[in-house]
Amino acid sequence: MNRFTLPRDIYYGKGSMEVLKTLTGKRAILVLGGGSMKRFGFVDKAVSYLKEAGIETQLFENVEPDPSVETVMAGAKAMREFEPDWIISMGGGSPIDAAKAMWVFYEYPDAKFEDLITPFSFPTLRTKAKFLAIPSTSGTATEVTAFSVITDYAKGIKYPLADFNITPDVAVVDPELAETMPKTLTAHTGMDALTHAIEAYVSTMNSPFTDPLALKAIHMVFDYLPDSYEGDMNCREQMHYAQCLAGMAFSNALLGIVHSMAHKTGAAFSTGHIPHGCANAIYLPYVIKFNAKVAEGRYADIARSIGIEGTDSQCVDALCKKIDEYNVKLNIPKTLKDFGINEEEFLQKVDSIAELAVGDACTGSNPRPITPAEMAELLKCCYYGTPVNF
C-alpha cells in the first residue's frame, strides 16, 4: 500500500500571510532564523495578524543555517515552557526544519534524537499543537514535506529526518517573502528545487501522483530561474510556486543520491560549509550520468518534456549540458575543487564520507544501487570534474 500526503491547506499568492488572522487557538510560538524576516517587517505583520486572531505569540529566534541538535532541544524546551497550540515557522528551510524537530520533543520530552534517525519512525504528533509553515526561500519546500534536515556538528553529519507526521498542517506560500532573497540564495535554492523534482521523477517511489508535479516543477524552474536570479519579481513568484510543486513530488516519491552526497559533504570539510543547494547543483549532472545506466528512459522523458530531441542517450547528455549551462549562468562551480575544498582533506575523508552517504536515508530510493566504493569514485568525479563511466 502506498501513500500520498500533503498539508491540509496551502494558501498562496501575494498577501496570503493574512490567513493568520483566521487561526483558532490560544498561543503560538514563532520560530525564526537570523533576523531577515524581522528586518523586512514580516514578523511584525505575523504577530499583528495573530493578535487579531486573539492568539498570544512568543518568538524563538536565531535558528542557525543548517540547524543543530542543540538548537532543536533549546526550542523544544521553550515550547514546553510556553505550551503553544500552534507552532509557526517563518523563513528559509533551516528554521522550518528546526521547528519540525522541536515539535517532536515538545510533545514527547523523553524522546531521544537517535530515535528519529530511522525514517518513518516518529511518534504520533498533534497531541499538543498544529504546525504552520511560511517559507521565505524558493527551494527546500519544507512547508509541504515530510522531511527535516538537522546537523550533528560533533559528528559533522547532516541527518535527514523523515516522517509524514511532520508534514505541516498549513503552508502559506506568499511570494512577497521570497522577494527579499539575495542573488546567491536565489541561485542555490532554485537548483535545489530542480534537484528535488528530477530526483522525485526518477526515484524508485515515483508514481502517477508525483510525476505530473515533478515535471511541472522542472518546466517552471527552467523557464523562470535565470530571470528570477536577475531580479524579475514575477519570475521570483513563479519560482516560489515551482519549488512548492517539487516539494509535493519529493515528499511522496522521495529523493536519491544527489541529496545523500549533499547531506554528508555539506559540513564535512574544514575549508568551508557547502550550501545545500550549491552542493546539489554541483552533483546533479554527475549523478544523472551514474543513474542513466538504469534510468536513462526516465531522464530522457524529462529532457523531451522541455523540448530536447534525440535518442535516449542524446537526451540525457543534452539534459546534463543544460544543467551545466544553468550552473554557469548562476555562478555555481562545476566541481568541489572549484568550490575550494582542499584536495588533501578531500582524499583523506572521501572513503568515510562515501560510507555515510550510502547509509543516508535518501539512498534507498535512488534508481541505481550504489556501493561505498562506487560512491567514493562518484565523489572523486565531482571533485575533479572527470567523466562518470562506471
Side-chain angles (χ1 to χ4, degrees):
M1 179 172 66
N2 300 314
R3 180 173 176 178
F4 184 84
T5 299
L6 298 175
R8 185 181 186 280
D9 292 299
I10 300 171
Y11 296 92
Y12 63 96
K14 291 189 177 184
S16 53
M17 202 167 74
E18 197 171 350
V19 74
L20 295 178
K21 291 180 182 179
T22 69
L23 297 187
T24 303
K26 294 179 180 177
R27 285 180 295 278
I29 192 163
L30 189 53
V31 180
L32 303 163
S36 64
M37 291 295 95
K38 219 172 191 178
R39 287 195 305 275
F40 291 113
F42 293 113
V43 173
D44 286 345
K45 192 181 280 191
V47 170
S48 174
Y49 288 152
L50 290 165
K51 188 175 181 181
E52 239 182 283
I55 295 174
E56 181 188 352
T57 307
Q58 178 174 298
L59 306 185
F60 183 88
E61 303 180 76
N62 299 313
V63 173
E64 71 272 46
D66 300 303
S68 64
V69 176
E70 290 77 14
T71 295
V72 167
M73 295 308 178
K77 182 174 182 288
M79 290 176 185
R80 289 195 294 272
E81 290 168 358
F82 184 59
E83 297 187 334
D85 44 21
W86 277 101
I87 298 168
I88 299 173
S89 188
M90 175 194 298
S94 296
I96 299 174
D97 277 8
K100 286 179 173 180
M102 292 170 188
W103 188 14
V104 181
F105 297 104
Y106 167 44
E107 299 206 358
Y108 294 90
D110 295 330
K112 293 181 173 56
F113 184 75
E114 294 73 24
D115 299 338
L116 307 183
I117 293 170
T118 304
F120 302 98
S121 61
F122 281 44
T124 300
L125 296 178
R126 296 167 180 81
T127 60
K128 295 181 182 177
K130 291 182 180 178
F131 194 101
L132 185 148
I134 312 171
S136 65
T137 61
S138 303
T140 69
T142 188
E143 74 275 7
V144 293
T145 75
F147 296 97
S148 164
V149 180
I150 305 299
T151 301
D152 184 333
Y153 285 95
K155 295 178 180 175
I157 299 174
K158 286 186 178 183
Y159 289 103
L161 309 180
D163 197 283
F164 287 117
N165 269 291
I166 57 171
T167 303
D169 298 282
V170 181
V172 178
V173 187
D174 188 333
E176 288 182 352
L177 281 71
E179 290 178 0
T180 65
M181 282 194 299
K183 207 168 181 180
T184 300
L185 186 60
T186 301
H188 292 171
T189 55
M191 292 306 289
D192 190 21
L194 181 66
T195 305
H196 289 155
I198 290 176
E199 290 213 291
Y201 191 77
V202 301
S203 160
T204 57
M205 297 290 288
N206 74 76
S207 75
F209 294 90
T210 59
D211 284 354
L213 294 165
L215 288 176
K216 181 63 175 176
I218 291 165
H219 292 180
M220 292 177 75
V221 173
F222 279 127
D223 284 347
Y224 296 114
L225 180 54
D227 288 338
S228 174
Y229 176 68
E230 295 299 340
D232 183 315
M233 291 306 162
N234 290 323
C235 292
R236 189 73 59 88
E237 177 176 358
Q238 294 305 313
M239 276 300 304
H240 210 42
Y241 304 150
Q243 63 88 33
C244 187
L245 293 172
M248 295 182 209
F250 89 78
S251 185
N252 293 279
L254 307 183
L255 292 164
I257 59 171
V258 177
H259 274 77
S260 303
M261 294 158 69
H263 291 151
K264 298 311 187 256
T265 54
F269 301 108
S270 62
T271 41
H273 173 76
I274 310 171
H276 177 69
C278 180
N280 281 340
I282 292 170
Y283 301 149
L284 182 58
Y286 299 96
V287 169
I288 289 174
K289 290 293 180 69
F290 175 81
N291 283 340
K293 295 270 186 186
V294 300
E296 187 176 68
R298 295 290 287 182
Y299 289 118
D301 286 347
I302 291 170
R304 292 189 181 105
S305 76
I306 56 171
I308 293 170
E309 297 179 351
T311 65
D312 283 1
S313 177
Q314 289 169 337
C315 284
V316 172
D317 287 343
L319 177 62
C320 290
K321 185 180 177 186
K322 191 174 180 74
I323 294 166
D324 285 337
E325 289 168 355
Y326 269 58
N327 283 343
V328 171
K329 286 179 187 176
L330 301 170
N331 202 29
I332 291 170
K334 185 172 174 59
T335 67
L336 287 175
K337 190 172 186 177
D338 292 341
F339 181 83
I341 301 301
N342 176 271
E343 183 175 13
E344 185 180 348
E345 185 182 11
F346 172 80
L347 292 173
Q348 182 187 350
K349 292 182 174 179
V350 66
D351 289 337
S352 60
I353 290 170
E355 288 270 3
L356 292 168
V358 170
D360 187 89
C362 293
T363 300
S365 46
N366 193 67
R368 182 182 172 188
I370 188 167
T371 65
E374 288 170 332
M375 180 65 82
E377 283 305 306
L378 185 55
L379 284 162
K380 288 174 185 175
C381 292
C382 297
Y383 185 86
Y384 295 106
T386 50
V388 178
N389 48 23
F390 58 94

